[in-house]
Amino acid sequence: MIKQGAKTELDAIIVGAGFAGLYTLHKLRGIGLRVKVLEAGKGVGGTWFWNRYPGARCDVESLEYSYSFSEELQQEWNWPERFSAQPDILRYANHVADRLDLRRDILSERRVVSATFDELNDRWTVCTAGGEAFEARFCIMATGNLSLPRVPDFPGLKNFKGDWYHSGLWPEEGVDFTGRRVGVIGTGSSGVQMIPEIAKQAEHLFVFQRTANFSVPGMNRPMTYEAEQGHKARYAYWREAAKRTPFGIAGHPPPPKTALEDTPEARAEVYERKWGTGGNISFLYAYKDLLTDKAANDTACDFVRAKIRSIVRDPEIARLLMPNDHPIGTKRLCLDNGYFETYNRDNVTLVDVRSDPIIEISEQGLRTKTREYRLDAIAFATGFDAMTGALLDIDIRGAGGLRLADKWAHGPRTYLGLMTAGLPNLFMITGPGSPSVKTNMIASIEQHVDWIADCIAYLRREGIGRIDADAAAEDAWVEHVNQVADATLYPLANSWYVGANIPGKPRVFMPYVAGLDKYRVICDAVAAESYRGFKLMGA
Ligand code: N01
């Protein structure tokens, strides 16, 4: 038990016990550091601890979305489905915590509120909401990219007599919607996943859609013994192959052709095959230029819109569900299990809140400009303050009192997404400016954690007390990240990748989209050149 007022002295503090925090703890322990993880939740698992909404499921296949660093771990764990459901991923995170004996260094229900760098001795002091303080040379932010939930500030929410939930803060005990009139606000990945499941329970489900979203089928299925064993027999091969791909996912050979090289008939066949295979990477890998050429992308958009028209019986509802404001894939392409089919149910109503905006949450439900919907419960699937939200939620102050919030007032600036100049010895895992959310997150996490652990081991070996990103290297990296994004269609969408979902957030494209394979090479070269672009100082 740590006493109020006392400071716990450590070598490294990790904030967050999701997949990034768990692996960082394991790695840093492995190089002999005294480490503690501070976690806001009651348990480990990060995203998969908080996002317990009905239908929550990963859109990367289970055999890929798992740690690769331990052959024993990857061999002994069994995944029940092709795409894992949230409870299975959370079970896996807990298994890893037990298997690697991580829990003794994880302090749960510790929400970090501040992190302050002391320049005199090159150490961070990290404080929790409960008033505890921890001090360490290194601070590693494993705070996640989609971990600060956002509830829009609709007037009247506090007066609502029913229950309301957010996808990212779902009650641990679950929610029974049986016999209730339920409203879901939002049709991103979370909404698309929860809508079919809530529709099966609710007396009536009202979906409040502002922007239609592209979604492709997951074609999820139970894992067969043959599929699992076949993959596991060559796990090392598949993991190595994944490292040489942009997404950190093996088994999707780069497409050889551009979309317009094929005839319309041949294209239709390709898209039909991809649709039947399931998976968003598979679909977006139909042609090599879908994310760089608008005319190519239009062909994929048209195919999905035609699918929606063919699935949804009411032509007016089908029309409303057809996305028309962004190229496919430039917002996270949703993966669903019967999403569009759900709108054929008698107990589901689609409400277009683009033409009839939400005015307020009333005592009895939700009021749009033209009418009131009586609701017993509202599920907000309204997303997150992505990529920077969780970091800026902490009062982080670096050298000379530099506040991260001030430094990033016009958008995040990092070198390699790993560090930001002026905040020495503070590393970010999958930070803005790294491939992160555009990849298999666990693959990106492993790459970052391995790099950070190697870097810290090097600093200790060389007797170096402080590492900081060089401002010029950071400027060059930010420019490079933007140049790469500008050569794609991504910036055309009003997505959370550019912060467009948060009113007032600076519009900056945050992930690095050149691919994890290329990024890995850059990071390795930086390390091999004695951490080029970083300033190493003092003992
Ligand atoms: O959030 P989102 P999410 N009035 O921001 C709507 C990952 N993820 O939680 O587009 C009305 O995508 C908003 O409408 P609009 C994945 O990376 C992965 O669904 O702003 N509507 C939009 O429809 C994903 O991209 C998995 O017009 C409002 C929705 O809310 C990321 O998390 C599963 C509104 C928000 O969509 C975030 O997904 C789940 C308002 N005032 C999540 N404000 C898988 O692995 C917002 N909306 C499969």
Side-chain angles (χ1 to χ4, degrees), residues 225-538:
Y225 178 80
E226 293 72 28
E228 186 166 16
Q229 290 312 311
H231 199 93
K232 284 182 172 179
R234 304 183 69 208
Y235 229 146
Y237 165 83
W238 288 118
R239 297 296 197 186
E240 272 311 304
K243 284 186 181 165
R244 291 191 296 275
T245 69
F247 307 110
I249 300 175
H252 299 280
K257 285 189 187 172
T258 63
L260 300 181
E261 276 178 74
D262 263 346
T263 62
E265 295 72 25
R267 259 198 318 268
E269 257 177 53
V270 169
Y271 288 138
E272 194 64 55
R273 197 168 60 247
K274 295 287 185 179
W275 184 269
T277 307
N280 43 20
I281 302 263
S282 168
F283 193 82
L284 292 173
Y285 246 25
Y287 293 104
K288 67 179 175 189
D289 56 347
L290 289 186
L291 290 169
T292 50
D293 183 278
K294 178 74 170 52
N297 189 285
D298 284 345
T299 66
C301 293
D302 288 344
F303 175 85
V304 176
R305 284 192 283 257
K307 277 286 177 197
I308 297 170
R309 202 179 300 116
S310 74
I311 295 169
V312 179
R313 283 199 289 270
D314 182 324
E316 177 53 15
I317 295 175
R319 189 186 65 76
L320 288 174
L321 288 168
M322 286 181 212
N324 55 21
D325 75 328
H326 63 281
I328 188 168
T330 56
K331 286 183 168 185
R332 178 74 163 211
L333 178 56
C334 303
L335 201 62
D336 72 86
N337 280 297
Y339 175 65
F340 294 115
E341 289 83 347
T342 300
Y343 293 94
N344 291 332
R345 295 176 66 109
D346 293 337
N347 70 333
V348 175
T349 302
L350 179 68
V351 182
D352 173 20
V353 295
R354 172 76 58 192
S355 63
D356 187 16
I358 299 171
I359 301 299
E360 64 167 354
I361 307 295
S362 59
E363 284 190 9
Q364 305 300 328
L366 181 154
R367 204 187 308 276
T368 63
K369 205 169 163 202
T370 64
R371 64 163 281 197
E372 184 175 13
Y373 296 85
R374 195 172 55 74
L375 301 171
D376 303 312
I378 299 174
F380 288 92
T382 44
F384 301 85
D385 186 348
M387 305 202 68
T388 55
L391 289 164
L392 293 176
D393 204 35
I394 301 171
D395 182 10
I396 302 178
R397 290 167 193 250
L402 175 69
R403 284 179 69 230
L404 182 64
D406 291 335
K407 177 167 179 193
W408 286 7
H410 302 293
R413 302 185 68 75
T414 70
Y415 179 41
L416 300 170
L418 281 161
M419 296 192 94
T420 184
L423 277 69
N425 295 359
L426 183 135
F427 294 97
M428 291 165 282
I429 302 190
T430 65
S434 76
S436 60
V437 294
K438 293 310 302 166
T439 67
N440 173 358
M441 281 302 288
I442 298 193
S444 275
I445 284 168
E446 287 190 329
Q447 185 267 339
H448 260 194
V449 174
D450 290 345
W451 192 96
I452 292 166
D454 287 349
C455 175
I456 291 177
Y458 172 87
L459 299 177
R460 284 162 65 92
R461 249 190 342 264
E462 300 294 319
I464 295 164
R466 189 198 283 207
I467 179 168
D468 196 358
D470 177 69
E474 180 169 292
D475 290 346
W477 182 252
V478 170
E479 198 182 325
H480 174 60
V481 170
N482 283 313
Q483 273 170 358
V484 172
D486 287 344
T488 71
L489 302 177
Y490 285 112
L492 298 183
N494 287 321
S495 65
W496 57 258
Y497 298 142
V498 295
N501 64 326
I502 304 294
K505 189 164 174 169
R507 192 179 176 104
V508 172
F509 191 82
M510 294 183 279
Y512 178 56
V513 288
L516 183 54
D517 48 352
K518 292 198 176 69
Y519 176 78
R520 187 185 300 277
V521 171
I522 294 169
C523 290
D524 288 350
V526 164
E529 291 167 43
S530 307
Y531 297 93
R532 168 174 40 89
F534 290 97
K535 292 186 291 185
L536 311 181
M537 289 164 278

Side-chain angles (χ1 to χ4, degrees), residues 53 57 59 186-190 193 210-211 332 381-383 496:
Y53 60 84
R57 187 178 289 286
D59 57 3
T187 51
S189 299
S190 305
Q193 288 187 329
R210 187 165 66 182
T211 311
R332 178 74 163 211
T382 44
W496 57 258

